Amino acid sequence: MTLLDGITSRIIDTDRLSVNILERSGDSPDTSTDQTIVLVHGNVSSSLFWQELMQDLPAELRVIAIDLRGFGGSEHAPIDATRGVRDFSDDIHAALTALGIDAAHFVGWSLGAGVVMQYALDHRTLSLTLESPVSPFGFGGTRRDGTRLTDDDAGCGGGAANAEFVRRLTERDTTDEAASSPRSVFRSGYVAEGYTTEYEDIWVESMLSTSTATGNYPGDAKTSENWPGFAAGENGVLNTLAPGYFNVSGIVDLDEKPPVLWVHGELDAIVSDASFYDFNHLGALGLVPGWPGEEVAPAQPMVAQTRDVLQRYADGGGKVSELAIPGVGHSPHLERPAEFRRALLELIGYIGAPQDPAPPTEAIILSSSD
């Protein structure tokens, strides 16, 4: 069984596509928007990853986890990457409109954090929780100020996917026999060493729900005269984050700035200033031959970029809280659930938050504008 106790699943039909959502069996559709939380998963995953958090949040809240197109139980419709993540954002808006929800608190993880930032640019949000977020300038191929390294986003997009990992996703490999198997990638990339759970089979099943059909994961690629020889294509998941298509740094100019919570683990192997998923960093390590050097192909400083943009957000009148957790990888909501839960409840102003276990004080960094 992939659904935990008290979690239900249903399909919402919209004018765009059919969207799968998870809910809690006791939640009321009449709950006010200021007590409604929408959870958006990351890449190669689905709403199943949110179940423990859903179980642990107070019963007075309404909690909804949404499957993005091409993941989980949502329709595996192709993704137009030239729109950045707007296909995902528009899908969420269509689903919430069908549910009669005009605003909510949004929690986005990794890719999902990029989606909720895009959603905030396009629609009304009450708060944003960004967990291990993709940089506001996309994934790969930019300098710290967000400027693109090449006009074709060389080294970014669908061509950056590990072909053996894609094959094992397609064949629904549940083993840990190879470093490229989804289970092994979960253990090495999604969480820090030492994390264990009785639900690992469910998390792997969630990863295996990723569609590898044309237009979904990973997406197409183009040849490039620039190192490493490929550039971003025009469809599929990975291309949505190519910096030529994706840039949500415009949140700093929002007239109404929802409060933001940024949560990330200090051992994150995916979103990092030295990401093991960034071709330029791999080139610098000698793992991809022919690297042209730091001046031409520097690693993307992903965390520094996020901090810079959120500081500008705060300087412009927004409220930003940063929770950086030592010893944690890409999935704080799994690895340190009590700390994640408490920070989220404090952000949305839920009265029960002070009763929760306090996280280590050294993990809380405030950079908010008052």
Side-chain angles (χ1 to χ4, degrees):
M1 295 293 293
T2 57
L3 294 181
L4 302 184
D5 290 345
I7 306 298
T8 63
S9 172
R10 63 174 168 136
I11 296 292
I12 306 297
D13 290 319
T14 77
D15 57 1
R16 292 180 55 79
L17 78 169
S18 297
V19 177
N20 184 65
I21 66 170
L22 298 188
E23 299 171 289
R24 303 186 301 183
S25 57
D27 286 2
S28 170
D30 298 324
T31 303
S32 61
T33 56
D34 64 352
Q35 290 190 303
T36 298
I37 299 176
V38 176
L39 307 170
V40 183
H41 65 82
N43 197 9
V44 191
S45 63
S46 74
S47 58
L48 294 176
F49 268 94
W50 293 117
Q51 292 184 91
E52 288 182 297
L53 176 64
M54 294 176 73
Q55 286 182 320
D56 290 343
L57 287 170
E60 293 82 2
L61 302 174
R62 184 183 185 186
V63 186
I64 299 168
I66 293 181
D67 281 337
L68 299 174
R69 67 167 61 194
F71 298 96
S74 286
E75 188 175 335
H76 292 178
I79 300 158
D80 179 359
T82 66
R83 303 185 69 230
V85 296
R86 290 179 180 87
D87 273 357
F88 295 137
S89 174
D90 290 349
D91 293 345
I92 292 172
H93 185 254
L96 295 182
T97 298
L99 292 168
I101 299 171
D102 61 357
H105 300 280
F106 284 82
V107 180
W109 173 35
S110 195
L111 164 67
V115 174
V116 303
M117 283 189 275
Q118 181 64 57
Y119 194 96
L121 289 171
D122 299 334
H123 307 288
R124 179 169 170 253
T125 59
L126 301 181
S127 72
L128 301 177
T129 297
L130 309 177
E131 179 188 9
S132 308
V134 61
S135 162
F137 301 116
F139 199 95
T142 59
R143 300 188 186 277
R144 181 161 178 169
D145 64 359
T147 54
R148 296 161 67 194
L149 298 177
T150 65
D151 290 338
D152 61 357
D153 296 330
C156 301
N162 182 312
E164 183 66 10
F165 174 64
V166 176
R167 182 185 72 81
R168 290 176 182 273
L169 274 180
T170 303
E171 295 179 356
R172 297 186 54 80
D173 178 10
T174 63
T175 72
D176 60 0
E177 65 183 20
S180 58
S181 75
R183 189 179 299 273
S184 296
V185 169
F186 169 78
R187 293 173 181 173
S188 64
Y190 286 39
V191 293
E193 185 178 0
Y195 168 82
T196 59
T197 174
E198 63 183 303
Y199 300 127
E200 184 176 270
D201 287 346
I202 297 179
W203 309 157
V204 173
E205 182 64 28
S206 176
M207 296 173 71
L208 294 176
S209 75
T210 301
S211 171
T212 56
T214 300
N216 292 135
Y217 183 86
D220 63 340
K222 297 179 179 180
T223 58
S224 174
E225 296 180 354
N226 301 303
W227 184 87
F230 69 87
E234 297 181 347
N235 67 62
V237 180
L238 294 188
N239 291 313
T240 67
L241 299 178
Y245 306 140
F246 176 89
N247 186 331
V248 293
S249 64
I251 62 171
V252 303
D253 297 319
L254 288 173
D255 292 333
E256 295 185 12
K257 293 180 171 63
V260 173
L261 168 65
W262 174 27
V263 184
H264 57 109
E266 294 184 352
L267 298 182
D268 193 337
I270 298 176
V271 176
S272 164
D273 288 350
S275 170
F276 288 100
Y277 291 74
D278 179 353
F279 254 68
N280 289 355
H281 179 57
L282 296 178
L285 295 176
L287 299 177
V288 180
W291 182 60
E294 183 74 19
E295 288 300 314
V296 176
Q300 181 188 16
M302 304 176 187
V303 174
Q305 288 176 331
T306 296
R307 181 168 287 111
D308 290 347
V309 169
L310 292 182
Q311 186 61 61
R312 288 167 51 201
Y313 188 90
D315 292 343
K319 182 177 182 180
V320 179
S321 301
E322 177 183 353
L323 175 58
I325 311 179
V328 167
H330 191 60
S331 310
H333 76 281
L334 297 181
E335 299 171 76
R336 296 285 183 85
E339 294 171 37
F340 186 91
R341 175 183 186 272
R342 182 177 186 271
L344 170 60
L345 293 177
E346 286 187 336
L347 176 75
I348 69 174
Y350 180 72
I351 193 170
Q355 300 173 6
D356 294 332
T361 54
E362 68 269 19
I364 296 286
I365 306 172
L366 297 180
S367 55
S368 58
S369 175
D370 296 318

